[in-house]
Amino acid sequence: MKGKVKLAPSILSADFVRLGEQVAEATRAGADYIHIDVMDGHFVPNISIGIPIVASLRPRTNLPLDVHLMIQHPEQYVSQFADSGADIITVHVEACSSLHRLIHSIKELNVKAGIALNPATPLTYVEEILPYVDLILIMSVEPGYGGQSFIPSSLDKISRLRKMLDNKKLNIELEVDGGITIDNAPGIVKAGANVLAIGSSIFNAKEGISQTMQIFRKAVS
Ligand code: DX5
Ligand code: ZN
């Protein structure tokens, strides 16, 4: 997918007491998506947030809500996330036994459908489903926690996926999630990513959200 790189602040690292304000600040600072991490304590060891937070954020920003489901049995919840205001729903291929059916049902909800891959899941696992999705998310850390270090081999995986998408002439979004910093962001974009989900590097930065977003924007432009 060509065009400007999209920044998707990941609210997992936000201050939840000031979530509305921080999302509004990220929106004003030029975010493209708001990335929302949903964890169930089963697919990943951690528990985070869910449907009510998506519904509460919906009126606070005009940006697309990019909902990343790190949960088992995502098929049981996608319609509730869509009703709450999700614009993109991304499910983990490792959590789905009938991925084709699930992607179809997400699209029937008039929501964009994404698939996510854990670091150890090979690209071949999703090759057949690529023509049916709007977005593919490469996890560059083991999902479950913010603030982890970027797994270096992810860069090669991103490049191979970019080639695969180009070869198949598929104009879908390539999102990378986990361990993104000002320093490694340019290389991730160069490898072929066009959406960056960034948590701790934005919300825990001492420069604050707005200034950090500007630094990221410059770094990837
Ligand atoms: C991790 C989540 C990420 C997380 C990234 O499982 O999917 O979206 O917020 O956080 P950082 O950018 O701190 O690695
Ligand atoms: Zn995420």
Side-chain angles (χ1 to χ4, degrees):
M1 176 161 291
K2 300 202 168 57
K4 142 182 147 164
V5 174
K6 292 178 179 160
L7 299 178
S10 169
I11 62 163
L12 187 63
S13 293
D15 173 356
F16 284 98
V17 173
R18 299 190 297 133
L19 186 58
E21 286 164 44
Q22 293 200 334
V23 165
E25 183 175 351
T27 304
R28 283 194 304 273
D32 297 283
Y33 294 156
I34 299 297
H35 184 88
I36 304 175
D37 287 307
V38 179
M39 304 180 185
D40 66 351
H42 294 280
F43 180 71
V44 288
N46 201 6
I47 296 176
S48 59
I49 53 176
I51 295 157
I53 300 285
V54 175
S56 299
L57 283 178
R58 184 60 290 170
R60 306 298 291 259
T61 177
N62 292 324
L63 295 178
L65 299 179
D66 172 28
V67 176
H68 177 193
L69 297 183
M70 286 162 276
I71 62 174
Q72 283 178 350
H73 304 296
E75 68 283 353
Q76 294 177 11
Y77 302 98
V78 289
S79 74
Q80 290 177 74
F81 278 102
D83 289 347
S84 306
D87 298 280
I88 306 165
I89 297 179
T90 295
V91 297
H92 267 266
V93 298
E94 303 86 356
C96 301
S97 50
S98 304
L99 190 55
H100 201 282
R101 181 184 299 140
L102 179 54
I103 293 301
H104 194 68
S105 55
I106 292 173
K107 289 180 151 185
E108 282 193 332
L109 296 164
N110 286 321
V111 171
K112 289 190 173 167
I115 48 170
L117 270 72
N118 281 342
T121 305
L123 294 174
T124 49
Y125 204 86
V126 295
E127 205 174 344
E128 305 305 324
I129 197 77
L130 286 177
Y132 303 96
V133 303
D134 300 295
L135 177 149
I136 175 162
L137 183 155
I138 297 291
M139 284 304 311
S140 42
V141 298
E142 203 69 75
Y145 299 94
Q148 303 179 78
S149 297
F150 185 86
I151 298 172
S153 60
S154 311
L155 275 183
D156 183 58
K157 192 176 187 182
I158 296 161
S159 304
R160 282 183 285 118
L161 175 57
R162 171 51 63 199
K163 279 198 193 105
M164 194 187 276
L165 296 178
D166 288 349
N167 286 341
K168 291 176 183 289
K169 298 195 176 13
L170 290 172
N171 193 26
I172 68 179
E173 305 220 82
L174 199 173
E175 183 167 15
V176 176
D177 185 8
I180 301 180
T181 63
I182 304 275
D183 292 336
N184 65 21
I188 295 167
V189 170
K190 196 167 173 221
N194 81 301
V195 184
L196 304 181
I198 309 165
S200 51
S201 293
I202 287 179
F203 288 100
N204 298 344
K206 62 178 186 326
E207 294 84 357
I209 297 168
S210 304
Q211 204 184 326
T212 306
M213 293 269 308
Q214 283 167 24
I215 298 170
F216 265 106
R217 178 66 68 201
K218 271 196 196 129
V220 299
S221 298

